[in-house]
Amino acid sequence: MKFSTIDELRERFDKEVERFSNIETGHQAAMDSLEIMDIITDAAKRLCPKATDMMDMGCGGGNYTLKMLEKLPYLNCTLMDLSPNMLINAEKRVKSFTDGYVRTIQGDFVSVMLPENKFDIVLSGSALHHLRESREWKIVFDKIYRSLKPGGCFWVSDVVRQENGIVQDIMWEKWFRYLDGIGMDIAHDYFRAHAEKEDTPRSIPFLLNLLTEVGFKDADILHKNSFFTIYGGIKK
């Protein structure tokens, strides 16, 4: 299998700005998408109630940032995405919801430079599964850890891979039943084709072990339905 290049991913997401710019429907294909956004932002608020700075990695249309601003409305927001078109739209949407500054970073997670000890909260929604080799995951998790202030939190909503192939098939079947239930049954082949070409998710044991390895404490799973999962940790 030949995976999509960074340029191919950028080109595809540049064309999908409108779809990812609706909180109610933008992530509809992901199971529990609205509940996940609520859980991830509630955890961030409760763990960092005095937060002043947040970063949204793979921000898409800015939905996770907008949901975070409902709970902590005066945050300074840094938006990062591979797609320039996504960033332009997300910046416009977010600026209308905060009196803090809004900064954008365009680029891929592995190569971008991040400030150290800058953020209280780092969120990422449905983006990190595009990382490839274990080396890339380590680089990015270490970079995020260093970008957080002590006590800051990092929460990810993303797909994960099951260690057992039979269990993985069960998760696919569960997701397809969900798609059928919301009238997206014709999308089975579309989503599987994109997943096979673009996505390299990792297992929960891999992710939690890596979080701990780079320094996070209390690495944990907040939610899981099929392979749609919230995981993360807190900087010591």
Side-chain angles (χ1 to χ4, degrees):
M1 169 61 67
K2 182 180 179 181
F3 292 114
S4 297
T5 66
I6 291 293
D7 288 338
E8 288 171 336
L9 288 171
R10 182 187 302 112
E11 182 178 351
R12 180 167 86 84
F13 287 113
D14 266 345
K15 298 175 181 176
E16 299 205 48
V17 173
E18 184 176 354
R19 179 166 77 89
F20 286 106
S21 298
N22 187 312
I23 288 181
E24 296 294 326
T25 63
H27 301 274
Q28 187 180 24
M31 298 170 72
D32 300 340
S33 59
L34 294 179
E35 182 181 6
I36 282 172
M37 279 195 285
D38 190 57
I39 293 171
I40 204 171
T41 53
D42 196 42
K45 176 187 176 180
R46 292 177 182 234
L47 288 164
C48 302
K50 297 182 180 179
T52 59
D53 293 85
M54 72 160 287
M55 177 170 63
D56 187 344
M57 299 188 69
C59 66
N63 292 336
Y64 277 75
T65 299
L66 293 174
K67 181 62 72 171
M68 193 73 249
L69 288 170
E70 290 179 8
K71 300 177 180 182
L72 293 173
Y74 304 108
L75 290 169
N76 298 313
C77 302
T78 296
L79 306 171
M80 181 196 300
D81 205 272
L82 183 64
S83 162
N85 291 353
M86 287 284 192
L87 280 176
I88 291 169
N89 184 61
E91 181 181 19
K92 180 179 178 180
R93 296 176 75 208
V94 170
K95 277 185 173 180
S96 65
F97 280 87
T98 182
D99 292 328
Y101 71 74
V102 180
R103 176 193 179 205
T104 62
I105 302 175
Q106 191 273 317
D108 69 276
F109 299 144
V110 177
S111 64
V112 296
M113 300 294 292
L114 297 178
E116 295 194 8
N117 298 308
K118 170 66 175 176
F119 305 109
D120 303 284
I121 298 167
V122 174
L123 303 181
S124 182
S126 301
L128 294 181
H129 62 266
H130 296 303
L131 294 171
R132 302 302 184 202
E133 302 173 1
S134 297
R135 175 188 64 86
E136 294 184 350
W137 287 87
K138 174 75 181 304
I139 289 170
V140 173
F141 275 30
D142 184 65
K143 187 184 302 187
I144 293 165
Y145 183 83
R146 288 185 282 107
S147 76
L148 284 165
K149 301 173 187 175
C153 63
F154 170 46
W155 295 112
V156 181
S157 163
D158 210 350
V159 293
V160 298
R161 178 181 58 81
Q162 301 297 144
E163 295 276 15
N164 184 282
I166 293 175
V167 177
Q168 179 74 7
D169 287 341
I170 293 171
M171 297 299 104
W172 275 103
E173 292 165 8
K174 184 176 181 180
W175 185 35
F176 286 161
R177 288 195 298 271
Y178 165 78
L179 292 176
D180 293 346
I182 61 172
M184 298 181 70
D185 51 297
I186 62 173
H188 290 197
D189 292 341
Y190 171 84
F191 284 120
R192 188 181 280 276
H194 275 299
E196 290 177 351
K197 186 177 181 181
E198 297 180 355
D199 304 347
T200 43
R202 295 306 178 104
S203 68
I204 287 174
F206 173 89
L207 296 165
L208 296 184
N209 287 338
L210 184 56
L211 286 168
T212 302
E213 180 183 339
V214 302
F216 284 97
K217 67 175 184 176
D218 300 334
D220 207 350
I221 300 297
L222 300 187
H223 179 86
K224 187 176 188 298
N225 191 353
S226 182
F227 30 60
F228 297 95
T229 306
I230 303 173
Y231 66 89
I234 302 166
K235 183 171 182 176
K236 296 177 180 178

